[in-house]
Amino acid sequence: ECGATSAVYTALERAASPCLAFFSRSAGVELVVAQRAAAAVLAAGVVASLVGLVMRRHVGDDGMACCATAPGNEAEEALLKLRGRRIAMLRGEAARLEGLLRSMGSGARKN
């Protein structure tokens, strides 16, 4: 019997063991069992996080991970160079469009 959560018991003094009620008063779990289940869930989460950390340590972090990227990754270096060229191209295009906007604005004021 699970203590004060059981419908059989009406007073804490008559309870057999300390319990937690789940969803209803009659569905109780002993406190020790609930603590062990919570510890098991927490431990499984920590282990899953550590496994993910070890297995995905080669994934690029861009300065946002707790572990550095594996050195000598040619594919990532090529991607970074390509990204740099793309950024430079976009900056040039933005400067060209800003120049067009300035020339359109100055031409509209002359009329």
Side-chain angles (χ1 to χ4, degrees):
E1 293 300 316
C2 197
T5 60
S6 176
V8 176
Y9 296 102
T10 56
L12 188 60
E13 295 80 29
R14 294 179 55 195
S17 61
C19 296
L20 293 175
F22 282 99
F23 305 113
S24 70
R25 188 181 153 125
S26 63
V29 175
E30 288 189 21
L31 193 58
V32 175
V33 174
Q35 288 173 338
R36 287 182 184 154
V41 168
L42 179 65
V46 169
V47 169
S49 296
L50 292 174
V51 167
L53 174 71
V54 170
M55 291 185 68
R56 290 177 180 83
R57 69 180 178 272
H58 65 281
V59 176
D61 55 15
D62 294 332
M64 297 176 62
C66 63
C67 299
T69 317
N73 191 347
E74 293 84 18
E76 186 172 339
E77 291 172 8
L79 182 62
L80 288 174
K81 286 180 184 178
L82 180 64
R83 186 183 298 166
R85 282 183 287 195
R86 178 77 174 147
I87 289 171
M89 184 186 76
L90 289 172
R91 284 183 179 151
E93 185 68 18
R96 186 184 71 80
L97 290 173
E98 287 173 355
L100 282 173
L101 183 60
R102 277 193 299 271
S103 67
M104 286 173 52
S106 63
R109 282 185 242 146
K110 290 181 183 176
N111 292 336

